[in-house]
Amino acid sequence: MRFRLVLSVLVFARVTTAQMPDTTHSARGATVSGTVRDSIAHGPLVGAMVQLVAADTKNRFGRTAVSDSMGAFKLGDVPDGQYMLGFFHPMLDSLGVEPIVREVRIDRQRPVRADLAIPSPAKLRAAICGAESAPGAGALVIGIVRDAQDHAPAAGATVRAEWLEFSFTRDGIVRKIPHLVATTGQNGWFALCNVPSAGVMRLLATRSADSTDRIEVEIPAEGFLRRELYVGPTQTVVIGDTSRSGDSLAPPPRRLHTGNGRLTGTVINAGGQPLAGARVGIIDGPQTRANDSGEWTLNNAPVGTRMLEVRAVGYFPDRRPVDVVAGALPVWTPLSTVKAVLDTVRVVASRRSRFEQSGFEERRHTGAGRYVTAKEIASRLPLSTSEIFRGILGVRLDLSAHDETSFQMRGGTSDWCTPMIYFDGLPMRGLAAEDIDVVVRPHEILGIEIYSEASVPSQYQLFKNSCGAIVIWTKLGS
């Protein structure tokens, strides 16, 4: 769907006549002043080009000023008359908003105060998504897709947003991945209306053979997100022996994405000290380590919007979208210690939690199955939940042709197969590894149970499955 927004009737300027002495005989003209505010960032809009032009085309009078660090502007020596006041800024282009223009009248050379603003998220949502987009109807995601090589707008690009939903049925919890798709206009602009608010979702932009990574973004509570996306080509290199893909001891082949991009940055701790040796890399791309000054450089990275991982021993990992493009600013990444993150969590309970009542500890001491405790997970510092399973014998993650990663186990009657997955004792069907990463973070896990077909406890044999079970206990369900 193509979107175009023209805001020509919304009034965002407040014009008042200041109560000041008459200076008609001492000044040649009046002063028009005010501030330009960014209603999305809730602060002043710096660098806005404010223009005042005569409403009467016969009068070619005009004035221009640029808003300062406080968003303030001032236009002097303006004669009496009727004028049009507005401003230009790159932010308006990325929002898909036409320059906002308002009438201003100068009478008897008295100074005029005119405060301008970018439309608020609520007004933008109503204008773009329609009157039915009332508060609570969903969030709005907008932006511009650009070519990663020359930054030109990418017309006709496809932007896909997807998120995870669960439905409670008689057979357990069923997983769904709803999605929305938008097509960019000639200016590369796109809009996605009524996506879930205050949550995590994934965005993917494609144009012919160029694309972004499937990046994770968090929708703010106010229900509005603006994100520019850069599409670029990738080169794929297969690492590993594909002829041994059926061997349980051989790691599955990996696809490594490379390119001609370059990205730099610095890793520091909460106190501002550099973290030497921190590992930095593009997901499924090139990796490097920070030097003694905490600085790092990634070469041969795929250009475009990618997902970056940063981790250091004893620190909580960081994962964020980055734009690998020419002229990109260095990425500044502060990491918090695991202790600092865990110390912010205080759990007070007056009764036994669901996890304590589950019998996890009793089963762990029987020796049947394999178990991973919260303490073990914390010591490994995994960036995502699926990463916990990479070091467990007999369990592997397989990447499908649809770029989804599934859990695989050694089955009793077959080679590699898909186990049943339980969250807090409830069965979930069709979960991919990426879904589990969205549902629960590593620090939210209390324990994991892994059973082959022969060792599955009776309470986890609700469905016919010759491949065993994986049971994940979380703080969310306790």
Side-chain angles (χ1 to χ4, degrees), residues 325-378:
V325 295
L329 296 175
V331 180
W332 190 262
T333 311
L335 297 184
S336 299
T337 63
V338 175
K339 182 178 184 301
V341 173
L342 295 180
D343 277 351
T344 62
V345 180
R346 293 290 184 268
V347 179
V348 179
S350 58
R351 60 180 177 82
R352 295 182 66 199
S353 69
R354 187 173 182 179
F355 174 65
E356 291 173 325
Q357 297 174 357
S358 69
F360 177 90
E361 289 298 330
E362 290 82 354
R363 290 190 296 273
R364 186 163 75 96
H365 287 98
T366 65
R370 280 159 289 173
Y371 302 83
V372 184
T373 65
K375 185 177 180 180
E376 293 176 75
I377 294 173

CSV table of all heavy atoms in Angstrom, one decimal, residues 325-378:
chain,number,residue,atom,x,y,z
A,325,VAL,N,26.7,2.2,6.5
A,325,VAL,CA,26.7,3.1,5.3
A,325,VAL,C,27.9,4.0,5.4
A,325,VAL,O,28.5,4.2,6.4
A,325,VAL,CB,25.4,3.9,5.2
A,325,VAL,CG1,24.2,3.0,5.0
A,325,VAL,CG2,25.2,4.8,6.5
A,326,ALA,N,28.2,4.6,4.2
A,326,ALA,CA,29.3,5.6,4.2
A,326,ALA,C,29.0,6.8,5.0
A,326,ALA,O,27.9,7.3,5.0
A,326,ALA,CB,29.6,6.0,2.7
A,327,GLY,N,29.9,7.2,5.8
A,327,GLY,CA,29.7,8.4,6.7
A,327,GLY,C,29.0,8.1,8.0
A,327,GLY,O,28.6,9.0,8.7
A,328,ALA,N,28.8,6.8,8.3
A,328,ALA,CA,28.1,6.4,9.5
A,328,ALA,C,28.9,6.8,10.7
A,328,ALA,O,30.2,6.7,10.8
A,328,ALA,CB,27.8,4.9,9.6
A,329,LEU,N,28.3,7.4,11.8
A,329,LEU,CA,29.0,7.8,13.0
A,329,LEU,C,29.4,6.5,13.7
A,329,LEU,O,28.8,5.5,13.7
A,329,LEU,CB,28.1,8.6,13.9
A,329,LEU,CG,27.6,10.0,13.3
A,329,LEU,CD1,26.6,10.7,14.2
A,329,LEU,CD2,28.8,10.9,13.0
A,330,PRO,N,30.5,6.6,14.5
A,330,PRO,CA,31.0,5.5,15.3
A,330,PRO,C,29.9,5.1,16.3
A,330,PRO,O,29.1,5.9,16.8
A,330,PRO,CB,32.2,6.0,16.1
A,330,PRO,CG,32.7,7.2,15.2
A,330,PRO,CD,31.4,7.8,14.6
A,331,VAL,N,29.8,3.8,16.6
A,331,VAL,CA,28.8,3.2,17.5
A,331,VAL,C,29.3,3.2,18.9
A,331,VAL,O,30.4,2.6,19.1
A,331,VAL,CB,28.4,1.8,17.0
A,331,VAL,CG1,27.3,1.2,18.0
A,331,VAL,CG2,27.9,1.8,15.6
A,332,TRP,N,28.7,3.9,19.8
A,332,TRP,CA,29.1,4.1,21.2
A,332,TRP,C,28.3,3.1,22.0
A,332,TRP,O,27.1,3.2,22.1
A,332,TRP,CB,28.9,5.5,21.6
A,332,TRP,CG,29.6,5.8,22.9
A,332,TRP,CD1,28.9,5.9,24.1
A,332,TRP,CD2,30.9,6.2,23.2
A,332,TRP,NE1,29.8,6.2,25.1
A,332,TRP,CE2,31.0,6.4,24.6
A,332,TRP,CE3,32.0,6.4,22.4
A,332,TRP,CZ2,32.2,6.8,25.1
A,332,TRP,CZ3,33.2,6.7,22.9
A,332,TRP,CH2,33.3,7.0,24.3
A,333,THR,N,28.9,2.1,22.6
A,333,THR,CA,28.2,1.0,23.3
A,333,THR,C,28.7,0.9,24.7
A,333,THR,O,29.7,0.4,25.0
A,333,THR,CB,28.4,-0.3,22.6
A,333,THR,OG1,28.2,-0.2,21.2
A,333,THR,CG2,27.4,-1.4,23.1
A,334,PRO,N,27.8,1.3,25.7
A,334,PRO,CA,28.1,1.1,27.1
A,334,PRO,C,27.5,-0.2,27.5
A,334,PRO,O,26.4,-0.5,27.2
A,334,PRO,CB,27.5,2.3,27.8
A,334,PRO,CG,26.3,2.7,26.9
A,334,PRO,CD,26.7,2.3,25.5
A,335,LEU,N,28.3,-1.0,28.2
A,335,LEU,CA,27.8,-2.3,28.7
A,335,LEU,C,27.7,-2.3,30.3
A,335,LEU,O,28.6,-1.7,30.9
A,335,LEU,CB,28.8,-3.5,28.3
A,335,LEU,CG,28.9,-3.7,26.8
A,335,LEU,CD1,29.8,-5.0,26.6
A,335,LEU,CD2,27.6,-3.9,26.2
A,336,SER,N,26.7,-2.9,30.8
A,336,SER,CA,26.5,-3.0,32.2
A,336,SER,C,26.9,-4.4,32.7
A,336,SER,O,26.8,-5.4,32.0
A,336,SER,CB,25.0,-2.8,32.6
A,336,SER,OG,24.6,-1.5,32.2
A,337,THR,N,27.4,-4.4,33.9
A,337,THR,CA,27.8,-5.7,34.5
A,337,THR,C,26.6,-6.6,34.7
A,337,THR,O,25.5,-6.1,34.9
A,337,THR,CB,28.6,-5.6,35.8
A,337,THR,OG1,27.8,-5.0,36.7
A,337,THR,CG2,29.9,-4.7,35.5
A,338,VAL,N,26.8,-7.9,34.7
A,338,VAL,CA,25.7,-8.8,35.0
A,338,VAL,C,25.1,-8.5,36.4
A,338,VAL,O,23.9,-8.5,36.7
A,338,VAL,CB,26.1,-10.3,34.9
A,338,VAL,CG1,25.0,-11.2,35.3
A,338,VAL,CG2,26.5,-10.6,33.5
A,339,LYS,N,26.0,-8.2,37.4
A,339,LYS,CA,25.6,-8.0,38.7
A,339,LYS,C,24.7,-6.7,38.8
A,339,LYS,O,23.7,-6.7,39.5
A,339,LYS,CB,26.8,-7.8,39.6
A,339,LYS,CG,26.5,-7.5,41.1
A,339,LYS,CD,27.8,-7.4,41.9
A,339,LYS,CE,27.4,-7.3,43.4
A,339,LYS,NZ,26.6,-6.1,43.7
A,340,ALA,N,25.1,-5.7,38.0
A,340,ALA,CA,24.4,-4.4,38.0
A,340,ALA,C,23.0,-4.7,37.5
A,340,ALA,O,22.0,-4.1,38.0
A,340,ALA,CB,25.1,-3.4,37.2
A,341,VAL,N,22.8,-5.5,36.4
A,341,VAL,CA,21.5,-5.8,35.9
A,341,VAL,C,20.7,-6.7,36.8
A,341,VAL,O,19.5,-6.4,37.1
A,341,VAL,CB,21.7,-6.6,34.5
A,341,VAL,CG1,20.3,-7.0,34.0
A,341,VAL,CG2,22.4,-5.6,33.5
A,342,LEU,N,21.3,-7.7,37.4
A,342,LEU,CA,20.6,-8.6,38.3
A,342,LEU,C,20.2,-7.9,39.6
A,342,LEU,O,19.2,-8.2,40.2
A,342,LEU,CB,21.4,-9.8,38.6
A,342,LEU,CG,21.7,-10.7,37.4
A,342,LEU,CD1,22.5,-11.9,37.9
A,342,LEU,CD2,20.4,-11.2,36.8
A,343,ASP,N,21.0,-6.9,40.0
A,343,ASP,CA,20.7,-6.2,41.3
A,343,ASP,C,19.5,-5.3,41.2
A,343,ASP,O,18.9,-4.9,42.2
A,343,ASP,CB,21.9,-5.3,41.7
A,343,ASP,CG,23.0,-6.1,42.4
A,343,ASP,OD1,22.7,-7.3,42.7
A,343,ASP,OD2,24.1,-5.6,42.7
A,344,THR,N,19.0,-5.0,39.9
A,344,THR,CA,17.8,-4.2,39.8
A,344,THR,C,16.6,-5.0,40.0
A,344,THR,O,15.5,-4.5,40.0
A,344,THR,CB,17.8,-3.5,38.4
A,344,THR,OG1,17.7,-4.6,37.4
A,344,THR,CG2,19.0,-2.7,38.2
A,345,VAL,N,16.7,-6.4,40.1
A,345,VAL,CA,15.6,-7.2,40.2
A,345,VAL,C,15.4,-7.7,41.6
A,345,VAL,O,16.4,-8.3,42.2
A,345,VAL,CB,15.7,-8.5,39.3
A,345,VAL,CG1,14.5,-9.4,39.4
A,345,VAL,CG2,15.9,-8.0,37.8
A,346,ARG,N,14.3,-7.5,42.2
A,346,ARG,CA,14.1,-7.9,43.6
A,346,ARG,C,12.7,-8.7,43.6
A,346,ARG,O,11.7,-8.1,43.2
A,346,ARG,CB,14.0,-6.7,44.6
A,346,ARG,CG,15.3,-6.0,44.8
A,346,ARG,CD,16.3,-6.9,45.5
A,346,ARG,NE,17.5,-6.1,45.8
A,346,ARG,CZ,18.6,-6.1,45.0
A,346,ARG,NH1,18.5,-6.9,43.9
A,346,ARG,NH2,19.6,-5.5,45.3
A,347,VAL,N,12.8,-9.9,44.0
A,347,VAL,CA,11.6,-10.8,43.9
A,347,VAL,C,11.2,-11.1,45.4
A,347,VAL,O,12.0,-11.6,46.2
A,347,VAL,CB,11.8,-12.1,43.2
A,347,VAL,CG1,10.5,-12.9,43.2
A,347,VAL,CG2,12.2,-11.8,41.7
A,348,VAL,N,9.9,-10.7,45.8
A,348,VAL,CA,9.4,-11.0,47.1
A,348,VAL,C,8.2,-11.8,46.9
A,348,VAL,O,7.2,-11.5,46.2
A,348,VAL,CB,9.1,-9.7,47.8
A,348,VAL,CG1,8.5,-10.0,49.2
A,348,VAL,CG2,10.3,-8.8,48.0
A,349,ALA,N,8.2,-13.0,47.5
A,349,ALA,CA,7.1,-14.0,47.4
A,349,ALA,C,6.6,-14.4,48.8
A,349,ALA,O,7.4,-14.7,49.6
A,349,ALA,CB,7.5,-15.1,46.5
A,350,SER,N,5.3,-14.6,48.9
A,350,SER,CA,4.8,-15.1,50.2
A,350,SER,C,4.3,-16.5,50.0
A,350,SER,O,3.8,-17.1,51.0
A,350,SER,CB,3.6,-14.2,50.6
A,350,SER,OG,2.6,-14.2,49.6
A,351,ARG,N,4.4,-17.1,48.8
A,351,ARG,CA,4.0,-18.5,48.6
A,351,ARG,C,5.0,-19.1,47.6
A,351,ARG,O,5.8,-18.4,46.9
A,351,ARG,CB,2.6,-18.5,48.1
A,351,ARG,CG,2.4,-17.8,46.7
A,351,ARG,CD,1.0,-17.9,46.2
A,351,ARG,NE,0.8,-17.2,45.0
A,351,ARG,CZ,1.1,-17.6,43.8
A,351,ARG,NH1,1.6,-18.8,43.6
A,351,ARG,NH2,0.8,-16.9,42.7
A,352,ARG,N,5.0,-20.4,47.5
A,352,ARG,CA,5.9,-21.0,46.6
A,352,ARG,C,5.5,-20.7,45.1
A,352,ARG,O,4.3,-20.7,44.8
A,352,ARG,CB,5.8,-22.6,46.8
A,352,ARG,CG,6.3,-23.0,48.1
A,352,ARG,CD,6.2,-24.5,48.2
A,352,ARG,NE,7.1,-25.2,47.2
A,352,ARG,CZ,7.0,-26.4,46.8
A,352,ARG,NH1,6.0,-27.2,47.2
A,352,ARG,NH2,7.9,-26.9,46.0
A,353,SER,N,6.5,-20.4,44.3
A,353,SER,CA,6.2,-20.0,42.9
A,353,SER,C,5.8,-21.3,42.1
A,353,SER,O,6.0,-22.4,42.6
A,353,SER,CB,7.4,-19.4,42.3
A,353,SER,OG,8.5,-20.4,42.2
A,354,ARG,N,5.3,-21.1,40.9
A,354,ARG,CA,4.9,-22.2,40.1
A,354,ARG,C,6.2,-23.0,39.7
A,354,ARG,O,6.1,-24.2,39.6
A,354,ARG,CB,4.3,-21.6,38.8
A,354,ARG,CG,3.7,-22.7,37.9
A,354,ARG,CD,3.0,-22.0,36.7
A,354,ARG,NE,2.4,-23.0,35.9
A,354,ARG,CZ,1.6,-22.7,34.8
A,354,ARG,NH1,1.4,-21.5,34.5
A,354,ARG,NH2,1.1,-23.7,34.1
A,355,PHE,N,7.3,-22.4,39.6
A,355,PHE,CA,8.5,-23.1,39.3
A,355,PHE,C,8.9,-24.0,40.4
A,355,PHE,O,9.3,-25.2,40.2
A,355,PHE,CB,9.7,-22.1,39.0
A,355,PHE,CG,11.0,-22.7,38.8
A,355,PHE,CD1,11.3,-23.6,37.7
A,355,PHE,CD2,12.0,-22.5,39.7
A,355,PHE,CE1,12.5,-24.2,37.6
A,355,PHE,CE2,13.3,-23.0,39.5
A,355,PHE,CZ,13.5,-23.9,38.4
A,356,GLU,N,8.8,-23.5,41.7
A,356,GLU,CA,9.2,-24.3,42.8
A,356,GLU,C,8.2,-25.5,43.0
A,356,GLU,O,8.6,-26.5,43.5
A,356,GLU,CB,9.1,-23.4,44.1
A,356,GLU,CG,10.2,-22.4,44.1
A,356,GLU,CD,10.1,-21.4,45.3
A,356,GLU,OE1,8.9,-21.1,45.7
A,356,GLU,OE2,11.1,-21.0,45.9
A,357,GLN,N,7.0,-25.3,42.6
A,357,GLN,CA,6.0,-26.4,42.7
A,357,GLN,C,6.1,-27.4,41.5
A,357,GLN,O,5.4,-28.4,41.5
A,357,GLN,CB,4.6,-25.8,42.7
A,357,GLN,CG,4.3,-24.9,44.0
A,357,GLN,CD,3.0,-24.3,43.9
A,357,GLN,OE1,2.2,-24.4,42.9
A,357,GLN,NE2,2.6,-23.5,45.0
A,358,SER,N,6.9,-27.0,40.5
A,358,SER,CA,6.9,-27.9,39.3
A,358,SER,C,7.6,-29.2,39.4
A,358,SER,O,7.5,-30.1,38.6
A,358,SER,CB,7.6,-27.1,38.1
A,358,SER,OG,9.0,-26.9,38.4
A,359,GLY,N,8.5,-29.3,40.5
A,359,GLY,CA,9.3,-30.5,40.6
A,359,GLY,C,10.5,-30.5,39.9
A,359,GLY,O,11.2,-31.6,39.7
A,360,PHE,N,11.0,-29.3,39.4
A,360,PHE,CA,12.2,-29.2,38.6
A,360,PHE,C,13.4,-29.8,39.4
A,360,PHE,O,14.2,-30.6,38.9
A,360,PHE,CB,12.5,-27.8,38.3
A,360,PHE,CG,13.8,-27.5,37.5
A,360,PHE,CD1,13.8,-27.6,36.1
A,360,PHE,CD2,15.0,-27.2,38.2
A,360,PHE,CE1,15.0,-27.3,35.4
A,360,PHE,CE2,16.1,-27.0,37.5
A,360,PHE,CZ,16.2,-27.1,36.1
A,361,GLU,N,13.6,-29.4,40.6
A,361,GLU,CA,14.7,-29.9,41.4
A,361,GLU,C,14.7,-31.4,41.7
A,361,GLU,O,15.7,-32.1,41.6
A,361,GLU,CB,14.8,-29.1,42.7
A,361,GLU,CG,15.3,-27.6,42.6
A,361,GLU,CD,16.7,-27.5,42.0
A,361,GLU,OE1,17.5,-28.4,42.2
A,361,GLU,OE2,16.9,-26.5,41.3
A,362,GLU,N,13.5,-31.9,41.9
A,362,GLU,CA,13.3,-33.3,42.2
A,362,GLU,C,13.7,-34.1,40.9
A,362,GLU,O,14.4,-35.1,41.0
A,362,GLU,CB,11.9,-33.6,42.6
A,362,GLU,CG,11.5,-33.1,44.0
A,362,GLU,CD,11.1,-31.7,44.0
A,362,GLU,OE1,11.2,-31.0,42.9
A,362,GLU,OE2,10.7,-31.2,45.0
A,363,ARG,N,13.2,-33.7,39.8
A,363,ARG,CA,13.6,-34.4,38.5
A,363,ARG,C,15.0,-34.3,38.2
A,363,ARG,O,15.6,-35.2,37.6
A,363,ARG,CB,12.7,-33.8,37.4
A,363,ARG,CG,11.2,-34.2,37.5
A,363,ARG,CD,10.5,-33.9,36.2
A,363,ARG,NE,10.4,-32.4,36.0
A,363,ARG,CZ,9.5,-31.6,36.5
A,363,ARG,NH1,8.6,-32.0,37.3
A,363,ARG,NH2,9.6,-30.3,36.2
A,364,ARG,N,15.6,-33.1,38.5
A,364,ARG,CA,17.0,-32.9,38.2
A,364,ARG,C,17.9,-33.9,39.0
A,364,ARG,O,19.0,-34.3,38.4
A,364,ARG,CB,17.4,-31.5,38.5
A,364,ARG,CG,18.9,-31.1,38.1
A,364,ARG,CD,19.0,-29.6,38.1
A,364,ARG,NE,19.2,-29.1,39.4
A,364,ARG,CZ,20.3,-28.8,40.0
A,364,ARG,NH1,21.5,-29.1,39.4
A,364,ARG,NH2,20.3,-28.3,41.2
A,365,HIS,N,17.5,-34.3,40.2
A,365,HIS,CA,18.3,-35.2,41.0
A,365,HIS,C,18.1,-36.6,40.6
A,365,HIS,O,18.8,-37.5,41.1
A,365,HIS,CB,18.1,-35.0,42.5
A,365,HIS,CG,18.6,-33.7,43.0
A,365,HIS,ND1,17.9,-32.5,43.1
A,365,HIS,CD2,19.9,-33.4,43.4
A,365,HIS,CE1,18.7,-31.5,43.6
A,365,HIS,NE2,19.9,-32.0,43.7
A,366,THR,N,17.1,-36.9,39.7
A,366,THR,CA,16.9,-38.3,39.3
A,366,THR,C,17.9,-38.7,38.3
A,366,THR,O,18.2,-39.9,38.1
A,366,THR,CB,15.5,-38.5,38.7
A,366,THR,OG1,15.4,-37.7,37.5
A,366,THR,CG2,14.5,-38.1,39.8
A,367,GLY,N,18.5,-37.8,37.6
A,367,GLY,CA,19.5,-38.1,36.5
A,367,GLY,C,18.9,-38.3,35.2
A,367,GLY,O,19.6,-38.5,34.2
A,368,ALA,N,17.5,-38.4,35.1
A,368,ALA,CA,16.9,-38.5,33.8
A,368,ALA,C,16.8,-37.2,33.1
A,368,ALA,O,16.3,-36.2,33.6
A,368,ALA,CB,15.5,-39.1,33.9
A,369,GLY,N,17.2,-37.1,31.8
A,369,GLY,CA,17.2,-35.9,31.1
A,369,GLY,C,18.4,-35.0,31.4
A,369,GLY,O,19.3,-35.4,32.2
A,370,ARG,N,18.5,-33.8,30.8
A,370,ARG,CA,19.5,-32.9,31.0
A,370,ARG,C,18.9,-31.6,31.5
A,370,ARG,O,17.8,-31.2,31.1
A,370,ARG,CB,20.3,-32.6,29.7
A,370,ARG,CG,21.3,-33.7,29.4
A,370,ARG,CD,21.7,-33.7,28.0
A,370,ARG,NE,20.6,-34.2,27.2
A,370,ARG,CZ,20.6,-34.2,25.8
A,370,ARG,NH1,21.6,-33.6,25.2
A,370,ARG,NH2,19.6,-34.6,25.2
A,371,TYR,N,19.6,-30.8,32.4
A,371,TYR,CA,19.0,-29.7,33.0
A,371,TYR,C,20.0,-28.5,33.0
A,371,TYR,O,21.2,-28.7,33.1
A,371,TYR,CB,18.7,-30.0,34.5
A,371,TYR,CG,17.7,-31.2,34.6
A,371,TYR,CD1,18.2,-32.5,34.6
A,371,TYR,CD2,16.4,-30.9,34.8
A,371,TYR,CE1,17.3,-33.5,34.7
A,371,TYR,CE2,15.5,-32.0,34.8
A,371,TYR,CZ,15.9,-33.3,34.8
A,371,TYR,OH,15.0,-34.3,34.9
A,372,VAL,N,19.5,-27.3,32.8
A,372,VAL,CA,20.3,-26.1,32.8
A,372,VAL,C,19.7,-25.1,33.8
A,372,VAL,O,18.5,-24.8,33.7
A,372,VAL,CB,20.3,-25.4,31.4
A,372,VAL,CG1,21.2,-24.2,31.4
A,372,VAL,CG2,20.8,-26.4,30.3
A,373,THR,N,20.4,-24.7,34.8
A,373,THR,CA,19.9,-23.8,35.8
A,373,THR,C,20.2,-22.4,35.5
A,373,THR,O,20.9,-22.1,34.6
A,373,THR,CB,20.6,-24.1,37.2
A,373,THR,OG1,22.0,-23.8,37.0
A,373,THR,CG2,20.4,-25.6,37.5
A,374,ALA,N,19.5,-21.5,36.2
A,374,ALA,CA,19.7,-20.1,36.0
A,374,ALA,C,21.1,-19.6,36.2
A,374,ALA,O,21.6,-18.8,35.5
A,374,ALA,CB,18.7,-19.3,36.9
A,375,LYS,N,21.8,-20.3,37.2
A,375,LYS,CA,23.2,-19.9,37.5
A,375,LYS,C,24.1,-20.3,36.3
A,375,LYS,O,25.0,-19.5,35.9
A,375,LYS,CB,23.6,-20.7,38.7
A,375,LYS,CG,25.0,-20.3,39.2
A,375,LYS,CD,25.3,-21.0,40.5
A,375,LYS,CE,26.8,-20.6,41.0
A,375,LYS,NZ,27.1,-21.3,42.2
A,376,GLU,N,23.8,-21.5,35.7
A,376,GLU,CA,24.6,-21.9,34.5
A,376,GLU,C,24.4,-20.9,33.4
A,376,GLU,O,25.3,-20.5,32.6
A,376,GLU,CB,24.3,-23.3,34.1
A,376,GLU,CG,24.7,-24.4,35.1
A,376,GLU,CD,24.2,-25.7,34.7
A,376,GLU,OE1,24.8,-26.3,33.7
A,376,GLU,OE2,23.2,-26.2,35.2
A,377,ILE,N,23.2,-20.5,33.2
A,377,ILE,CA,22.8,-19.6,32.1
A,377,ILE,C,23.6,-18.3,32.3
A,377,ILE,O,24.2,-17.7,31.3
A,377,ILE,CB,21.3,-19.4,32.0
A,377,ILE,CG1,20.6,-20.7,31.6
A,377,ILE,CG2,21.0,-18.2,31.0
A,377,ILE,CD1,19.1,-20.6,31.6
A,378,ALA,N,23.5,-17.7,33.5
A,378,ALA,CA,24.2,-16.5,33.8
A,378,ALA,C,25.7,-16.6,33.5
A,378,ALA,O,26.3,-15.6,33.1
A,378,ALA,CB,23.9,-16.0,35.2
